[in-house]
Amino acid sequence: MSWKGRDVINILDFSREDLDLLFQLANRYADEDYRGNDLENRMAALLFLEPSTRTMYSFMSAVYRLGGKPITLSKTEASSIAKGETFGDTIRMFDSYSDVIIVRDRREGAAKYAADIAESPVINGGDGAHNHPTQAMIDLFTITRYRGSVDGLKVGVLGDLKYGRAAASFILGLTIYDPDTIYLISPESLRLKKEVRDYLDRVGVKYFETEDLTDILPELDVLYVTRIQKERFPDPLEYERVRGSYKIDLSILSNAKDDLMVMHPLPRVDEISTDVDNSKYQYYFKQAHNGVYLRMALLKLIMGD
Ligand code: ASP
């Protein structure tokens, strides 16, 4: 299916062939540290109604690097949202000011809702605890770039699998490929959401749930660490019970494969010790860096000539 004009709402809307094409272009941009005028005279609206560093600024950087112009809204108190304007009307306005809308909102389904209203393509920059498809694209691209493929790998996903949208989208994204096994490592109360587990069952991907990393760590090719999503807990006591559940440091990693990739969508709080930063296992900063090239490729395929 052609990329031109497409919405990006859920990673499962994309096939392996779609992602191959995207990663091919992202690899080229990364190899050349590309800058160009491919999106000259194109405008991209960035509506970030929830905090963001990487998603918002890497999209902005991607727009600038391709010669386009970003329009941003991130402080709702400085816009008509503070006067009571509805989300739908805000989307309608940005639709008429720009050629693509990238939106982040705390409500599940917000990006889909925006896509149903807007004529321009809408990219989901995160909708509550639900989806974060461009993060999943970056994650899959990073594995493909350094390992050649996701196929046959043993992938551990650790941390907050209940509220983490990056974790959920990454896990769904893995099913587009043929990984050996997905290990879901979390405290019992932060187990992967049922709807995602049901999907894994339906497509027949092999997965294994555990609270303990120790036994499976030596098996893993990728360890995807996630932050406990403090802001999504309805009850602060529930958060207190699980905070600091896992901490990955170099001594724990002494049991890992030599070429284990430690990934993280970032921001980290304390779940990866800084002593991992300068080790061979560190892929999380590379992952964030790759985010710019991946998002450039995405914008070019959706909006380019
Ligand atoms: N940056 C990612 C997200 O927006 C992960 C996180 O916040 O923990 O979902």
Side-chain angles (χ1 to χ4, degrees), residues 104 132 165-166 227 229 265-267:
R104 169 172 289 190
H132 197 347
R165 60 188 169 200
R227 175 178 71 87
Q229 310 276 302
L266 302 177

Side-chain angles (χ1 to χ4, degrees), residues 24 26 40 59 61 120 135 176 189 219 259 285 290-291 293:
Q24 217 176 334
E40 203 177 0
F59 261 121
S61 171
S120 313
Q135 180 66 51
I176 299 169
S189 64
E219 301 272 321
D259 59 354
F285 295 134
N290 287 335
Y293 304 116

Side-chain angles (χ1 to χ4, degrees), residues 160-175:
D160 186 347
L161 309 185
K162 180 177 179 183
Y163 297 115
R165 60 188 169 200
S169 288
F170 174 58
I171 291 164
L172 291 173
L174 288 171
T175 69

Side-chain angles (χ1 to χ4, degrees), residues 84-100:
E85 183 161 68
T86 63
F87 181 68
D89 282 355
T90 306
I91 294 295
R92 278 182 193 94
M93 294 309 108
F94 279 87
D95 194 24
S96 53
Y97 305 152
S98 63
D99 303 300
V100 65

